Amino acid sequence: MAFTQSHFPYFCITTKILLMPFAKGKLIAIGGAEDKGTDLEKGEIHRNNLNFFELGILRRIVEEAGGPLSRIEVITTASMIPYEVGDNYLNAFGKIGCTNIGLMHIRNRADTAVTEYLDRIRACDAVMFSGGNQLRLSVTDGGTEFLNILKKRYQEEAGFVIAGTSAGAMAMSQTMIYEGNASRAHLKGELKMTSGLGFINSVIIDSHFEKRGRFSRLAQAVSTNPDCIGIGLGEDTGMLITEGNKMEAIGSGCVIILDGHEIGYSNIADIPDGNPYSIENLKVHFCEKGNGYLVSERKFLPEVSDGAVIKKQVNVE
Amino acid sequence: MAFTQSHFPYFCITTKILLMPFAKGKLIAIGGAEDKGTDLEKGEIHRNNLNFFELGILRRIVEEAGGPLSRIEVITTASMIPYEVGDNYLNAFGKIGCTNIGLMHIRNRADTAVTEYLDRIRACDAVMFSGGNQLRLSVTDGGTEFLNILKKRYQEEAGFVIAGTSAGAMAMSQTMIYEGNASRAHLKGELKMTSGLGFINSVIIDSHFEKRGRFSRLAQAVSTNPDCIGIGLGEDTGMLITEGNKMEAIGSGCVIILDGHEIGYSNIADIPDGNPYSIENLKVHFCEKGNGYLVSERKFLPEVSDGAVIKKQVNVE
């Protein structure tokens, strides 16, 4: 994706991503366990605080993709129960009036080359990567024509949406966490990372963030290269990312941002594996629905206002 | 503890604690599950990274209290299994050569008035509050002569040590967390707080910090009054606090400091309970053994050097 390509006329003005064009597409990274309307059926409405399924994350994906008639391809590669996961998404999208949903049960690298799949991802309005194991995504899709088509469409096409939940969100960045025991993540080396699908640079994404107590593990990831902003996604919570930079928190929970640019003292480069590390001065923001963040500018925004529809809503007791 | 008392000649020079004298005693707040040498017996040496029980937290308590002949009273009030907990501490301190350990199984407010107990806490070199339920400590000890003696000795006597683990650490501060589901702590109101034993102001202490994923709950506590520094204690990890201000991390894990003084935007005052909150710019430090922190100055110290013996040690692979 060289910056000399003539069809990328726009360049970021910040030094950090000087050589990268703005991506015209959108990413929607979700922390897992997004509301699929199943509690409503059981009569157990105990989702965090929004009592309207209609306000949920899946609806936002549909809106960003162009509405209920949009073609959305659900890619179940990360999951070990792809048929069950696929059916859940068919049902969930169906509840909000979407009948143009496709399932892609891509299990291995050979599947990524199937002509029908390549045609479908060239034609769809959005893709949705399911949860599961993010290493299955990088191992299966890395370096394939399938991934190249997605990257090219994301770079060039305004309105093209790549959504992903849990593993599907964590795999979006160039550097990806694939393992790390949360309760031992204050020890150097407990975190395992590799290359992700690479839709976005300069961020590292973690999921199920509060539920699984992953603060220390994302802090370790950020401390090993403070150029990357850590994005800790709570459950039923996500970040809508436009231009590869502007983020808007969506969903019912919280996104925690870790900014390591002002780290002072740190011993992590000098200690052996298995030892606890020190970090001085990690900056942290808590973003709820409607708050935003600019990655390059490292700026928290109380309210996102340009372009995105803002629905600030709190329950009244 | 009025500042006019003539036997408190020293006053802090910072504005924050202008009216409070320096405490001459020491606090040792431990995050729970401190090494008691029991893994050694089982042949399972998998404590975080220190392979020498002799370097552990209990030994540091003994050193600070004056050595193996010191009288240490273990107060089991917080626990619902006080006899078992008491015996564990007798065994653990015994392994490092301490035979002058007393147990105080204080179960209710009437017990705190027992003359023998009052005499013993007037005479001992250190007390150690066990883990359990911190509300049992504040409910049982709050406003008693028993607690007043401890506070007076802590204020006036150099070398007097108050140690506490888990609930015993969380109860040390003036404001104390007593409940809060970690996985829902990104929602306003999920955190329950009350007054603690009040040995130290301007901090809020949490325990089992990484193991139980408590970052958001301490962040909520700090965000509701950013004057308080959050101290998140990992397991087998603690903070030695001198002059009510100077902190030195001890033990095999990590202490996470949360400083809310530079919080910008926050919505927590304005949203109803049950909604996720926003915080802009919470400052976080990770302290491992030998790192320090000054509460009033809000300053991370890579190495603590004045007075305390520094044993910086890492394993060589």
Side-chain angles (χ1 to χ4, degrees), chain A residues 68-296:
Chain A
L69 298 179
S70 309
R71 175 70 176 183
I72 300 174
E73 300 285 3
V74 176
I75 302 171
T76 60
T77 308
S79 177
M80 293 306 284
I81 46 166
Y83 295 96
E84 185 178 332
V85 164
D87 286 346
N88 287 345
Y89 279 105
L90 282 185
N91 287 336
F93 281 115
K95 282 174 194 154
I96 47 177
C98 302
T99 52
N100 197 11
I101 308 297
L103 300 180
M104 290 194 182
H105 296 312
I106 292 174
R107 308 309 299 156
N108 50 47
R109 291 178 72 83
D111 289 347
T112 66
V114 171
T115 309
E116 185 209 325
Y117 288 149
L118 295 176
D119 290 343
R120 281 166 58 184
I121 55 163
R122 282 192 190 98
C124 66
D125 300 297
V127 296
M128 168 85 183
F129 286 99
S130 78
N133 172 359
Q134 54 270 36
L135 211 49
R136 283 192 49 80
L137 285 170
S138 59
V139 165
T140 305
D141 294 339
T144 62
E145 175 65 7
F146 184 88
L147 181 57
N148 286 343
I149 293 168
L150 285 177
K151 282 184 170 177
K152 191 163 169 3
R153 293 198 65 194
Y154 167 63
Q155 280 296 325
E156 298 178 11
E157 295 184 32
F160 184 64
V161 175
I162 298 178
T165 186
S166 190
M170 295 181 68
M172 285 180 174
S173 57
Q174 184 58 49
T175 305
M176 170 184 93
I177 297 171
Y178 72 87
E179 205 177 290
N181 181 315
S183 69
R184 291 177 60 82
H186 61 289
L187 304 177
K188 180 179 176 182
E190 283 291 325
L191 186 66
K192 313 293 183 206
M193 303 182 78
T194 188
S195 286
L197 300 183
F199 298 118
I200 182 169
N201 288 326
S202 298
V203 304
I204 298 171
I205 301 171
D206 210 341
S207 62
H208 302 280
F209 200 64
E210 294 103 7
K211 191 75 169 277
R212 301 190 186 169
R214 290 177 165 174
F215 182 79
S216 292
R217 101 173 188 173
L218 190 54
Q220 178 166 167
V222 168
S223 73
T224 56
N225 188 348
D227 191 49
C228 286
I229 297 292
I231 303 175
L233 301 166
E235 295 192 343
D236 191 36
T237 305
M239 274 294 196
L240 166 64
I241 309 172
T242 50
E243 298 181 7
N245 189 52
K246 298 180 183 175
M247 302 201 177
E248 176 191 345
I250 59 177
S252 65
C254 183
V255 180
I256 301 182
I257 303 282
L258 279 65
D259 172 4
H261 283 71
E262 292 168 30
I263 286 177
Y265 177 83
S266 171
N267 67 358
I268 199 160
D270 304 320
I271 59 173
D273 277 0
N275 279 260
Y277 53 86
S278 312
I279 308 174
E280 178 186 10
N281 209 10
L282 185 67
K283 194 181 276 190
V284 178
H285 311 286
F286 283 62
C287 301
E288 59 119 359
K289 187 167 185 284
N291 296 151
Y293 188 76
L294 301 176
V295 177
S296 294

Side-chain angles (χ1 to χ4, degrees), chain B residues 175-233:
Chain B
T175 305
M176 173 183 90
I177 296 170
Y178 72 88
E179 205 176 289
N181 181 316
S183 68
R184 292 178 58 83
H186 60 290
L187 303 177
K188 180 179 176 181
E190 283 291 325
L191 186 66
K192 312 295 184 207
M193 303 182 77
T194 186
S195 286
L197 300 183
F199 298 118
I200 182 169
N201 288 325
S202 297
V203 303
I204 298 170
I205 301 172
D206 210 342
S207 62
H208 303 278
F209 200 64
E210 293 103 5
K211 190 74 168 277
R212 300 189 188 171
R214 289 177 165 175
F215 182 79
S216 292
R217 102 174 187 172
L218 189 55
Q220 179 166 167
V222 167
S223 73
T224 55
N225 187 348
D227 191 48
C228 286
I229 297 293
I231 303 176
L233 300 166

Side-chain angles (χ1 to χ4, degrees), chain B residues 294-311:
Chain B
L294 302 176
V295 177
S296 293
E297 296 80 356
R298 300 186 291 117
K299 189 173 166 49
F300 173 92
L301 304 174
E303 209 150 344
V304 179
S305 55
D306 62 334
V309 180
I310 304 301
K311 301 192 197 79

Side-chain angles (χ1 to χ4, degrees), chain B residues 46-120:
Chain B
H46 53 71
R47 56 186 59 95
N48 286 350
N49 63 325
L50 297 174
N51 286 321
F52 303 98
F53 177 51
E54 287 73 17
L55 293 178
I57 288 178
L58 293 190
R59 177 165 288 270
R60 184 63 182 267
I61 292 173
V62 173
E63 279 175 16
E64 296 294 338
L69 299 179
S70 308
R71 177 69 176 183
I72 300 175
E73 299 285 3
V74 176
I75 302 169
T76 61
T77 308
S79 177
M80 293 307 284
I81 46 166
Y83 295 95
E84 184 179 332
V85 164
D87 286 346
N88 286 346
Y89 278 105
L90 283 184
N91 287 336
F93 280 116
K95 282 174 194 154
I96 46 176
C98 302
T99 52
N100 197 11
I101 308 298
L103 300 180
M104 290 193 181
H105 297 311
I106 293 172
R107 308 308 301 155
N108 50 49
R109 291 178 72 84
D111 290 347
T112 67
V114 172
T115 309
E116 186 209 323
Y117 288 149
L118 295 176
D119 290 343
R120 280 167 58 184

Side-chain angles (χ1 to χ4, degrees), chain B:
Chain B
M1 214 170 296
F3 74 100
T4 51
Q5 286 179 258
S6 61
H7 49 273
F8 290 147
Y10 304 109
F11 297 86
C12 292
I13 53 170
T14 65
T15 53
K16 177 186 283 183
I17 48 175
L18 193 62
L19 302 185
M20 286 285 288
F22 281 141
K24 293 182 182 171
K26 293 173 183 169
L27 299 177
I28 300 180
I30 308 155
E34 66 283 1
D35 191 348
K36 298 186 188 72
T38 44
D39 291 347
L40 284 177
E41 290 167 358
K42 293 186 216 150
E44 297 169 7
I45 306 177
H46 53 71
R47 56 186 59 95
N48 286 350
N49 63 325
L50 297 174
N51 286 321
F52 303 98
F53 177 51
E54 287 73 17
L55 293 178
I57 288 178
L58 293 190
R59 177 165 288 270
R60 184 63 182 267
I61 292 173
V62 173
E63 279 175 16
E64 296 294 338
L69 299 179
S70 308
R71 177 69 176 183
I72 300 175
E73 299 285 3
V74 176
I75 302 169
T76 61
T77 308
S79 177
M80 293 307 284
I81 46 166
Y83 295 95
E84 184 179 332
V85 164
D87 286 346
N88 286 346
Y89 278 105
L90 283 184
N91 287 336
F93 280 116
K95 282 174 194 154
I96 46 176
C98 302
T99 52
N100 197 11
I101 308 298
L103 300 180
M104 290 193 181
H105 297 311
I106 293 172
R107 308 308 301 155
N108 50 49
R109 291 178 72 84
D111 290 347
T112 67
V114 172
T115 309
E116 186 209 323
Y117 288 149
L118 295 176
D119 290 343
R120 280 167 58 184
I121 54 162
R122 284 193 189 97
C124 65
D125 301 297
V127 296
M128 168 86 184
F129 287 98
S130 78
N133 172 358
Q134 53 270 35
L135 211 50
R136 282 194 49 80
L137 285 171
S138 60
V139 166
T140 305
D141 293 339
T144 63
E145 175 66 5
F146 184 87
L147 180 57
N148 287 342
I149 293 169
L150 285 177
K151 282 184 170 175
K152 191 164 171 2
R153 292 198 66 194
Y154 167 64
Q155 280 296 325
E156 298 178 9
E157 296 184 32
F160 184 65
V161 174
I162 298 177
T165 187
S166 189
M170 294 181 69
M172 286 180 174
S173 56
Q174 185 59 49
T175 305
M176 173 183 90
I177 296 170
Y178 72 88
E179 205 176 289
N181 181 316
S183 68
R184 292 178 58 83
H186 60 290
L187 303 177
K188 180 179 176 181
E190 283 291 325
L191 186 66
K192 312 295 184 207
M193 303 182 77
T194 186
S195 286
L197 300 183
F199 298 118
I200 182 169
N201 288 325
S202 297
V203 303
I204 298 170
I205 301 172
D206 210 342
S207 62
H208 303 278
F209 200 64
E210 293 103 5
K211 190 74 168 277
R212 300 189 188 171
R214 289 177 165 175
F215 182 79
S216 292
R217 102 174 187 172
L218 189 55
Q220 179 166 167
V222 167
S223 73
T224 55
N225 187 348
D227 191 48
C228 286
I229 297 293
I231 303 176
L233 300 166
E235 295 193 343
D236 190 36
T237 306
M239 273 296 195
L240 166 64
I241 308 172
T242 52
E243 298 181 7
N245 189 51
K246 299 180 182 174
M247 302 202 177
E248 176 192 343
I250 60 176
S252 65
C254 185
V255 181
I256 301 181
I257 303 283
L258 278 66
D259 172 4
H261 283 72
E262 293 168 31
I263 287 176
Y265 177 83
S266 171
N267 67 357
I268 199 157
D270 305 318
I271 60 173
D273 277 1
N275 279 260
Y277 53 87
S278 312
I279 309 175
E280 178 186 11
N281 210 9
L282 185 67
K283 194 181 275 192
V284 177
H285 311 285
F286 282 64
C287 302
E288 58 121 359
K289 187 168 185 283
N291 296 151
Y293 188 76
L294 302 176
V295 177
S296 293
E297 296 80 356
R298 300 186 291 117
K299 189 173 166 49
F300 173 92
L301 304 174
E303 209 150 344
V304 179
S305 55
D306 62 334
V309 180
I310 304 301
K311 301 192 197 79
K312 291 281 284 183
Q313 164 163 342
V314 290
N315 290 340
V316 177
E317 288 171 301

